[in-house]
Amino acid sequence: MLRLSKMSDYAAVVMAHIARYPEQAHAAAELSEAVGVPRPTVSKTLKMLMHAGLLQSRRGAQGGYRLTRTPIEISVSEIIEAIEGPVAMTECSQAEGECGLAATCGVADNWQRVSMAIRQFLDSVTLADLAQKTPIKMPVMLPIQSVSLASISDA
Amino acid sequence: MLRLSKMSDYAAVVMAHIARYPEQAHAAAELSEAVGVPRPTVSKTLKMLMHAGLLQSRRGAQGGYRLTRTPIEISVSEIIEAIEGPVAMTECSQAEGECGLAATCGVADNWQRVSMAIRQFLDSVTLADLAQKTPIKMPVMLPIQSVSLASISDA
DNA sequence: ACATTGAGGACCATTCTAGTCCCCATTAAA
DNA sequence: TTTAATGGGGACTAGAATGGTCCTCAATGT
Ligand code: SF4
Ligand code: SF4
């Protein structure tokens, strides 16, 4: 279903929560309760976000997590990538692991473009957008055909 | 990685292959060889595409599969949905199965919009786009902020 | 000192995925 | 009418990924 993993979802929820009070340090326990996700799981998520450089932590009393950047400077694609790796629809859309069918499949090139379009879109959505209460408006996406089908000439 | 499943990828490849000769019937064996995917797997994929109404089949000698519509009338989102169900990033982006955090998470609404934007985009990419040899051009996507953060006024 | 809080990583259960196989139904052609 | 081609349906399996838990150690403020 082209579904985000639950962990990514948690990550987004947690990040959004932190983004609403960016100045405070948020302990894992606090976030766990606020969000309704068991502590160990939330902790794991936080660790991943930290490794990705989206959060900084301080241990000890009064410690916790806070954002390394302002919510406007964090994109949802970064959050997703922190949890599940690069946003890529097909195997061939990542640098590594070229799929064996690349030679015969004939769609690799176009898939990569589609994939890139989605990545760019996700780049353009920020944590601030996600966290705000008022629903964000949808971006205008020009139908792909309008630019592509015009110039077909080969086989 | 927000990755398409392999099956969906196969489906796309196979559909693209058929789309290049829409008039002929394509036997599973033929497609299997053309695409380099083992017969049983390709067969399974074809069955799914048929159930979704994207292909029609005829059994017996000279039988095989062909498209039910022209390639321009088939969107890649339909192909994906045929294999892995509705394109939805979060659990709450589908009608059924509301996730338990819906009340507390505070991002459901915005995720749904992001999800819908992607779905719409995928709707706009057709099988013809995918199948053509010349690389498709990317659609222009206006950054979401430009439309969202400016005009916040509603609830 | 000591209570708090994160770091790191092992570990497990369950689900999903990819892939295989078998047997039956239909159709065209010999 | 027989036969060969071809899809339909569905059960089945091995393996990977996912979601989630737990334990112990390190840091830090009071
Ligand atoms: S598009 Fe082609 S090359 Fe890319 S992953 Fe799919 S089959 Fe492999
Ligand atoms: S966004 Fe909120 S409601 Fe939607 S799936 Fe994630 S947690 Fe559940």
Side-chain angles (χ1 to χ4, degrees):
Chain A
M1 310 156 180
L2 200 61
R3 176 92 49 67
L4 225 51
S5 79
K6 274 196 188 182
M7 295 303 277
S8 303
D9 194 16
Y10 295 161
V13 172
V14 164
M15 288 293 279
H17 193 89
I18 298 179
R20 295 202 188 92
Y21 305 92
E23 300 307 327
Q24 301 174 19
H26 300 264
E30 176 216 324
L31 291 166
S32 158
E33 182 160 3
V35 152
V37 174
R39 209 139 341 156
T41 305
V42 135
S43 237
K44 190 179 188 177
T45 311
L46 288 164
K47 285 175 202 167
M48 288 196 254
L49 290 166
M50 218 213 52
H51 278 124
L54 299 180
L55 291 178
Q56 61 187 138
S57 66
R58 223 172 71 237
R59 312 193 199 184
Q62 308 307 316
Y65 296 89
R66 65 187 68 194
L67 302 177
T68 53
R69 289 174 257 157
T70 72
I72 333 172
E73 293 166 332
I74 299 178
S75 69
V76 311
S77 67
E78 285 179 288
I79 299 179
I80 296 175
E81 282 175 16
I83 309 293
E84 30 189 319
V87 171
M89 298 195 72
T90 59
E91 217 172 314
C92 61
S93 302
Q94 302 168 92
E96 4 135 12
E98 277 294 322
C99 122
L101 309 181
T104 39
C105 86
V107 296
D109 220 52
N110 287 330
W111 261 135
Q112 287 178 23
R113 279 151 214 271
V114 170
S115 192
M116 175 170 302
I118 290 186
R119 200 178 317 145
Q120 279 175 5
F121 167 55
L122 256 18
D123 276 343
S124 79
V125 184
T126 74
L127 178 56
D129 292 325
L130 206 62
Q132 73 183 4
K133 286 286 171 44
T134 51
I136 56 182
K137 292 244 182 85
M138 280 299 91
V140 180
M141 297 222 224
L142 305 185
I144 198 166
Q145 302 92 299
S146 66
V147 264
S148 69
L149 287 183
S151 57
I152 304 177
S153 52
D154 68 319
Chain B
M1 313 153 176
L2 200 63
R3 178 90 50 67
L4 226 52
S5 78
K6 275 196 187 182
M7 294 302 278
S8 303
D9 193 16
Y10 294 162
V13 173
V14 165
M15 287 294 278
H17 192 90
I18 298 180
R20 295 201 189 92
Y21 305 90
E23 300 307 328
Q24 302 173 18
H26 299 264
E30 174 215 326
L31 292 167
S32 158
E33 182 160 4
V35 151
V37 173
R39 207 139 344 155
T41 305
V42 133
S43 237
K44 190 181 187 178
T45 310
L46 288 164
K47 285 174 200 168
M48 287 195 254
L49 290 166
M50 218 212 52
H51 277 124
L54 299 180
L55 291 178
Q56 62 188 137
S57 65
R58 222 172 71 242
R59 311 192 200 185
Q62 309 306 316
Y65 295 89
R66 64 187 68 194
L67 302 176
T68 52
R69 289 174 257 157
T70 72
I72 333 173
E73 294 166 331
I74 299 179
S75 70
V76 310
S77 67
E78 286 179 288
I79 299 178
I80 296 175
E81 282 175 16
I83 309 292
E84 28 190 321
V87 171
M89 296 195 73
T90 60
E91 217 172 316
C92 61
S93 302
Q94 302 170 92
E96 3 135 13
E98 277 294 321
C99 120
L101 309 181
T104 40
C105 87
V107 296
D109 222 51
N110 286 331
W111 262 134
Q112 286 177 24
R113 279 153 215 269
V114 171
S115 191
M116 176 171 300
I118 290 187
R119 199 177 319 144
Q120 279 174 7
F121 167 56
L122 256 18
D123 276 344
S124 81
V125 184
T126 72
L127 178 56
D129 292 325
L130 206 63
Q132 75 184 3
K133 286 285 172 44
T134 51
I136 55 182
K137 290 239 184 89
M138 279 299 90
V140 180
M141 297 222 222
L142 305 185
I144 198 167
Q145 303 91 298
S146 67
V147 265
S148 69
L149 290 181
S151 58
I152 304 177
S153 54
D154 66 322

